[in-house]
Amino acid sequence: MATLLHLDTSVFPEGGSASRSVTAAFRKAWEEQHPDGTVIYRDLAADPLPHLDGVAASAGFSDPTTHTPEQQAAFALRVKLAEEVEQADAIVIGAPMYNFTIPSTLKAWLDQVIIMGRTVGPEPSAKGTPVTVVASRGGSYAPGTPREGFEYVQNYLQAVLGESFGLDVDFIVPELTMAPANPAMSELIPKFEASRDKAHEDATAKAKALAERLAA
């Protein structure tokens, strides 16, 4: 049976979150193709992980047989998170832009799941797994826009997920999501609506395509 790892990080509920609505569309299409499959779901905003501390970090660089009880407990969480990545046939991540970068809850997940010699290193344990990142943002940071240089979401996640984890990264970018709420952006509402609709279409199409690839 196929397994999907689904991570949401928006601080807003689905009705008020662009990223959640798109990851939900992806998951719905995936589940339609894999009705008997498994979904591992983590809402990192509602149930945040602890930030990596010295105990958990040192456990990742030492022999497990030498771990203290504190290191054992901390490292057990990191191993569980790594196993979720390794078990997944596909991953979808909601990564809204907050203050030009990813939510701190997503950074906490990354810090915990990055284990040298396992999930990252010469032979990453989940290498090649497709991951779809829904990188929503209130404005636009596309090439050629005034704030192009402030785009630290796609650049960062491509480096970490693609280069370090060796995952097959694809981005869906719903943009201008603040247009309906910001009078100064009212003229951009049609572009927001087009971006929103395309994001949902892309999420559905991507999920179906990945399902077909796995079934082949």
Side-chain angles (χ1 to χ4, degrees), residues 12-73:
F12 300 107
E14 185 176 329
S17 166
S19 65
R20 286 182 185 270
S21 67
V22 177
T23 61
F26 183 104
R27 176 172 172 171
K28 180 175 183 292
W30 174 272
E31 290 180 318
E32 288 173 351
Q33 301 297 315
H34 297 289
D36 298 322
T38 299
V39 176
I40 302 170
Y41 180 61
R42 285 190 177 272
D43 186 335
L44 298 176
D47 189 16
L49 296 167
H51 287 284
L52 189 70
D53 60 14
V55 174
S58 63
F61 292 98
S62 58
D63 184 342
T65 63
T66 68
H67 285 177
T68 65
E70 292 78 13
Q71 286 178 313
Q72 290 175 1

Side-chain angles (χ1 to χ4, degrees), residues 84-214:
E84 291 176 355
V85 172
E86 292 160 353
Q87 292 165 7
D89 295 291
I91 303 170
V92 61
I93 300 174
M97 178 185 283
Y98 291 159
N99 300 316
F100 307 123
T101 189
I102 62 173
S104 63
T105 51
L106 180 54
K107 182 59 166 60
W109 177 82
L110 287 167
D111 287 342
Q112 293 283 5
V113 82
I114 292 173
I115 302 175
M116 293 300 300
R118 181 168 178 168
T119 56
V120 301
E123 290 295 330
S125 55
K127 183 177 180 178
T129 302
V131 55
T132 302
V133 178
V134 180
S136 59
R137 60 277 314 274
S140 179
Y141 301 82
T145 61
R147 288 197 165 185
E148 174 184 355
F150 290 82
E151 210 303 308
Y152 301 111
V153 173
Q154 288 175 261
N155 292 341
Y156 173 69
L157 291 179
Q158 178 62 51
V160 176
L161 299 175
E163 300 300 322
S164 295
F165 281 86
L167 304 178
D168 181 9
V169 186
D170 186 39
F171 289 95
I172 297 175
V173 186
E175 60 179 10
L176 302 170
T177 63
M178 288 297 296
N182 186 346
M185 298 175 66
S186 60
E187 63 181 21
L188 297 173
I189 290 177
K191 290 186 177 181
F192 151 72
E193 292 173 339
S195 178
R196 176 199 59 196
D197 294 346
K198 185 177 186 302
H200 281 83
E201 292 169 3
D202 288 348
T204 298
K206 181 68 174 177
K208 289 181 177 179
L210 289 174
E212 291 172 358
R213 183 197 303 179
L214 286 172

